[in-house]
Each structure stands twice: as C-alpha cells, then as structure tokens.
Amino acid sequence: MKIIDLRSDTVTLPTPTMRDAIYHAELGDDVYGEDPTTNRLEEMASERIGKEAALFVPSGTMGNLICVLTHCARGEEVILGDQSHMFLNEAGGISALGGIQAHIIPNQPDGTMRLEDIEAAIRGDNIHFPRTRLICLENTHNRCNGAPLTPEYIDSVAALAERHGLSMHLDGARIFNAAVALGVSVKKLTHSVDSLIFCLSKGLSAPVGSMVCGSREFIAEALRTRKVLGGGMRQIGVIAAAGAIALEQMVDRLAEDHVNARCLAEEIAQIPGLSIDPARTQTNIIYFDLVSDRLTAEEFVTRLGQKGIKLAPTRPSRFRMVTHHGINSEDIDATLVALGEVMEES
Ligand SMILES: Cc1ncc(COP(=O)(O)O)c(C=O)c1O
C-alpha cells in the first residue's frame, strides 16, 4: 500500500540531483570558513533574500534561537504571536538558554498581530519592566492556515519597530511559499526586517538545514552564537550541496503544492462531518475540523492510517495536512477518496 504522508513538508526526501550534488560536493572545514560548498550556499542565500550575509545552521529552531540570542540580552523581552512556532514549538529555548522573556499577543486568523496590540506590548522606560528589544513575525504562518503575510503588513510592523528603536526578526521557515503565493519577489518580504531564517528542509526538500540572513555585522555575531550552541560544523558541504539545489530548483514548483492544498481544502469542505473554510488555504498548509460525533479523533486518524493516509492531529478534533514535493495530484485524489470512505463508514 502506498503511504501518503501529509503530516508535514519536513518529510520531503532529497531529489536525485541533490543526492548527486551531495556525492560530488567540494569540502573543507567550515569552522575555519573553508568549506567552498557552504560558502557558495551562503552567498546564494544572501543574494536571493536581499541581505548582506547569510549563515548555514542545522535547523529552523536553532536559526530562530541564534537570532533572538544575538538581538537580545538576558532579561530583555521579545514580542511574539501566541500561535507562533517560536512560542509554541521551540521548547522555550529563548528563556531556557538566553534568559529572554516572551511577551505574547494574539495572532489574528490571518497570521498577523494587530499593530495596536504590538504597540501596547512595548514596554515604557521603567525600572520595574523588562526592556522590549525585538518583534518577531512568522511568514507563512504555520498555525494560521499557512497564511502569507503581505509586504505592506511587514513594512507597517517594521515602521512601528523603527519608531520605538526595536529590531525585527522574521521566522521565514516557509518564506518562499509566501512569495510564490503572493506573486511577489521574496526581497519585498524581507527588506524591512533586521534578521530572518528560512528552511531548506521543508517544501524545498533538502534533507537538513536552514539559513540565517541579515547584515554583515549581525551575521558575524550570529556566527559566535552558533558556536556557543555547538552549531559550528565541519565538512558541512555534504548537506549544503543539497541546500544549493533546493534554492536553484525547488522554489518555483511550490505553486504546485499550493494548488494541491487548495484542491484538498475545497473537496474536504464538501465531505459531511468535516469542516473547513477553503478560502483560508493560500499556501501548502490546511487545517480542518472533525465535526461528527460518530467517531473520535483517534478513530479518524487510525482509519485513515489503515488506508495509507498520514495526517497531523493538532487540537482535539483539528487536523493538519501539508502538501509537498512527495505528493502529486493522484495522491490528493486518493486522500479525498479515503476521507470520504472513513466518514461514510462511520
Ligand atoms: C514556522 C516554523 N518555524 C520554525 C520551524 C523549525 O524548523 P526546524 O524543524 O528545522 O527546527 C518550523 C518547523 O516546522 C516551522 O513550521
């Protein structure tokens, strides 16, 4: 039985071209700055993103952590959305390792935070308060249906940050999904932030790695922070080689994943017992609810599993599906058939 794995775009496997590039990668010791393949990937990434410099890191989580630790001192505060990956899914790293406090404000369903909520969260000058140092956005917004944040919104938060002397960081794990969905250059989504990360290992299908991007000065500091965290790696070109292919060959095809996700969402909306607003699906992430009391969430997941379909349960009766390079339109059709059968049989 074919397994259709829709749990996440992190399950993507390297393409044959990536495996070939891995095999032939020119290598050196990257802690000495001597790995030519990694140096080339870092140059490609900074150019593509429109920042002065970039740094290869093992994961998106480490990239976000490096950025927050580089921007903030102990006891300082970061403004984060209550649905953000950095707040919910990064093991509290900024407080565990940096003594940095998260100031949480609500994410709206479209992944934004209201400007007035951000402004109200910025601390005044008072010895009782922690100092606000950083505002973080997430684009696309994973928990908010993979919503892409627009350049206008990002620029408006950046203007607010600048007025208050704050820095801005973007968790752009899926920034290329946002650019493709909005039909804008990725630079439009990044030009007004001080730092960002993006992941090579999600929709872009590289096996490992994320990039931290920012000014030359910021990346020089981030390099020290990466070392502190034990993220200085040696002949890392073996994985950077796949990252370079990811950037060169895998960005434009993300549009296919978005079409597949929208198709899934529209058809799920027609299945009795399941609930979704398909208009919210703009990229490769969909969330839907089980609204039937004829089967439990566990039974739903088990029965789909028996038909070869894997999905990610999030809240008690809410599920996530993510389309990616390993999923084609026949897989979408097969998934919809399985969903229909599970609901009919219950
Ligand atoms: C929005 C977002 N940011 C950051 C990450 C962390 O990336 P990694 O799994 O490489 O640590 C993820 C992972 O799913 C994510 O969805």
Side-chain angles (χ1 to χ4, degrees), residues 10 59-62 64 85 90 138 140 142 171 173-174 197 199 201-202 210:
T10 57
S59 67
T61 300
M62 191 193 278
N64 282 328
H85 195 276
E90 299 189 5
E138 182 173 318
T140 62
N142 183 340
D171 174 357
R174 297 183 181 81
I197 67 120
C199 294
S201 59
K202 298 194 164 63
S210 292

Side-chain angles (χ1 to χ4, degrees), residues 19 50 56 58 70 76 149 175 178 187 211 274 289 293 309 321:
R19 289 177 191 263
F56 187 54
T70 304
E76 292 185 335
L149 304 183
I175 194 69
K187 290 180 186 164
M211 305 303 301
L274 302 180
D289 293 290
D293 52 15
I309 312 295
M321 286 182 171

Side-chain angles (χ1 to χ4, degrees), residues 54-297:
L55 182 65
F56 187 54
V57 296
S59 67
T61 300
M62 191 193 278
N64 282 328
L65 179 60
I66 285 171
C67 289
V68 176
L69 293 179
T70 304
H71 282 293
C72 305
R74 295 186 80 77
E76 292 185 335
E77 202 166 66
V78 178
I79 296 176
L80 279 174
D82 65 347
Q83 298 302 309
S84 66
H85 195 276
M86 291 175 70
F87 175 56
L88 293 173
N89 296 110
E90 299 189 5
I94 61 169
S95 56
L97 303 179
I100 295 153
Q101 177 160 299
H103 191 138
I104 301 308
I105 60 176
N107 275 118
Q108 302 306 310
D110 64 358
T112 61
M113 298 179 281
R114 289 198 187 104
L115 293 183
E116 52 270 37
D117 290 343
I118 297 177
E119 191 140 32
I122 298 170
R123 306 285 190 163
D125 185 15
N126 181 316
I127 60 154
H128 298 88
F129 298 160
R131 285 198 177 108
T132 308
R133 186 63 70 199
L134 184 66
I135 302 172
C136 298
L137 299 180
E138 182 173 318
N139 199 13
T140 62
H141 201 293
N142 183 340
R143 281 248 163 183
C144 296
N145 295 285
L149 304 183
T150 63
E152 295 74 27
Y153 174 73
I154 297 167
D155 291 352
S156 65
V157 178
L160 175 65
E162 196 177 347
R163 265 204 319 281
H164 289 272
L166 305 179
S167 298
M168 208 168 131
H169 171 69
L170 180 65
D171 174 357
R174 297 183 181 81
I175 194 69
F176 288 103
N177 291 86
V180 167
L182 297 169
V184 299
S185 132
V186 74
K187 290 180 186 164
K188 280 205 154 187
L189 300 171
T190 60
H191 78 101
S192 59
V193 305
D194 299 290
S195 63
L196 74 139
I197 67 120
F198 72 87
C199 294
L200 297 160
S201 59
K202 298 194 164 63
L204 301 186
S205 305
V208 185
S210 292
M211 305 303 301
V212 171
C213 306
S215 67
R216 224 167 260 120
E217 198 187 358
F218 181 83
I219 294 298
E221 275 308 301
L223 181 64
R224 289 187 71 89
T225 316
R226 186 185 72 173
K227 190 71 183 151
V228 169
L229 297 175
M233 298 169 284
R234 303 293 177 174
Q235 286 71 26
I236 199 66
V238 286
I239 49 180
I245 303 293
L247 268 183
E248 278 165 356
Q249 299 186 357
M250 302 301 281
V251 171
D252 293 340
R253 65 149 306 284
L254 293 172
E256 265 174 57
D257 299 340
H258 300 174
V259 169
N260 283 338
R262 178 56 92 101
C263 171
L264 256 183
E266 279 169 1
E267 295 300 323
I268 287 174
Q270 308 303 319
I271 300 177
L274 302 180
S275 168
I276 185 171
D277 175 3
R280 289 223 170 273
T281 305
Q282 294 179 67
T283 64
N284 66 331
I285 299 181
I286 73 168
Y287 286 87
F288 64 94
D289 293 290
L290 176 67
V291 290
S292 163
D293 52 15
R294 296 197 311 272
L295 78 173
T296 65

